[in-house]
Structures are given as structure tokens and as C-alpha cells.
Amino acid sequence: DQQVKQNSPSLSVQEGRISILNCDYTNSMFDYFLWYKKYPAEGPTFLISISSIKDKNEDGRFTVFLNKSAKHLSLHIVPSQPGDSAVYFCAARPGAQKLVFGQGTRLTINP
Amino acid sequence: SAVISQKPSRDICQRGTSLTIQCQVDSQVTMMFWYRQQPGQSLTLIATANQGSEATYESGFVIDKFPISRPNLTFSTLTVSNMSPEDSSIYLCSVEDPDSTYGYTFGSGTRLTVV
């Protein structure tokens, strides 16, 4: 049972444009959502998070949107830069319980 | 954030053998977590390692296959026993990140290939 799903395994975006990565979840008990970024041969690094009491959180070029009714969250990166090329994982957890990860989306930023 | 040193970074092993992966954290932490990422898959929690008690394993993972040690608050090992090609994965340790509400800090991972 995949509780967190990233349906796009890959995404290619032109440098300077907006990258939008999507994530869907099924467990209504999830109340905290996170995005991680992973480069090859490195562990995932925390990028941005959002609590279920919010619908938007912004940090520089990165914005996460949460639509609780649709059980959907998205990560917007604008403008996209070549260094943003990586695999992005969304993750969710119910309170202090364990994190559940999606399958990841490989983002490629083209010059 | 905590800094985690994980080794080896990669290894190629013969089937039937065992590999022990080490994780060292630069601060004392209560819980350490071990994850597996199979090719093209999400990160899956194997077990939670608590100092002074047996590790807690997730469904589908057993102690005989993945024995874990946690001798102190800064160190843990995961052994992948009696390996088969299906164990080829990236194995990651992690700890909760006090600077990121409900976030984890991860080690750099161990890429294991079983031949």
C-alpha cells in the first residue's frame, strides 16, 4: 500500500522556468509533509516542509503547496537552476510517527 | 543539523556473505533509523535502533536478516546477512533533525551490489 505517491518518475525543465513536482497521499492522519532532495552518491537532504494547518510555505525559490481536500502537495521551484537537478522525494508523517516516502521524481534542468 | 558519517560508501559482495554498515553521528541521539532504497523505489524504513534495547523492525524485515547494534548514543551498525542479489540497494541511516520539525538527517548511504 503506497501511502505517498509521486506519479512522475522524471521531469525535464528549461533553466529559468518553473519546476512543479507533485505528490499525492492517501492517509488522512498525515499532518506534516516534507520534501527532500537527493544527489547521486549522497543521502537525501531536507528542503522544505509544511504543516497541515497551512496551505503554503515559502523559502526562497522553493514553495510548497498543500491541498488537504485533494490530499495533494506540490513543490514549486522558480526560477529553476542547473544545480536543482536531483531526485526529489516527498514524505509525510502523522505527528511524531515514522516518515513515509514517495518513490521520488528525477528533475533535470536543461540549460 | 547532526552530521552522519556512514561507511562503506559502496561495496560489491558475493551472494551468501554478510556486510556490516556503520553509522557515526557527531552528537548523541536517542533513535537512529535504517532505511533501504531499492532501485527506482522509495525509501523504506527497515528498523529503529534505540540504545540499550533491541531494535524495532518494520513489517517485512527480521532481525536474523538485518541484525542491528546500537552500543552507544552516537553509533549504530546494520548487517545485511546471507546476501542475495535482491539485497542490492542503497542503505541509509538517519537521525531526527532537531533543527527541522519532524525532519530527518541522512547519512550519505551505502550502495550495495550483490553478485
Side-chain angles (χ1 to χ4, degrees), chain B residues 13-78:
Chain B
C13 300
Q14 297 289 324
R15 68 175 66 201
T17 63
S18 298
L19 176 71
T20 296
I21 302 167
Q22 299 180 5
C23 260
Q24 179 77 50
V25 188
D26 69 344
S27 58
Q28 294 185 339
V29 293
T30 305
M31 292 187 291
M32 293 180 72
F33 306 91
W34 287 98
Y35 282 84
R36 179 176 75 180
Q37 185 190 4
Q38 293 179 301
Q41 303 296 313
S42 63
L43 282 73
T44 302
L45 182 63
I46 297 171
T48 303
N50 299 303
Q51 195 270 333
S53 64
E54 279 200 7
T56 303
Y57 289 82
E58 298 299 312
S59 176
F61 298 97
V62 295
I63 187 170
D64 290 346
K65 176 66 176 177
F66 299 100
I68 287 172
S69 79
R70 185 80 201 276
N72 57 54
L73 291 173
T74 64
F75 186 78
S76 179
T77 68
L78 170 78

Side-chain angles (χ1 to χ4, degrees), chain A residues 2 32 34 36 38 41-44 46 89 93 95-99 101-103, chain B residues 35 37 40-43 45 58 90 92 96 100-104 106-109:
Chain A
Q2 189 70 30
Y32 212 81
L34 306 93
Y36 281 82
K38 184 181 186 300
E42 295 184 13
F46 170 74
F89 291 95
R93 65 190 294 183
Q97 300 302 310
K98 64 184 181 184
L99 273 176
F101 285 85
Q103 308 96 311
Chain B
Y35 282 84
Q37 185 190 4
Q41 303 296 313
S42 63
L43 282 73
L45 182 63
E58 298 299 312
I90 298 174
L92 298 133
E96 293 201 76
S100 159
T101 308
Y102 294 151
Y104 288 7
F106 285 84
S108 54

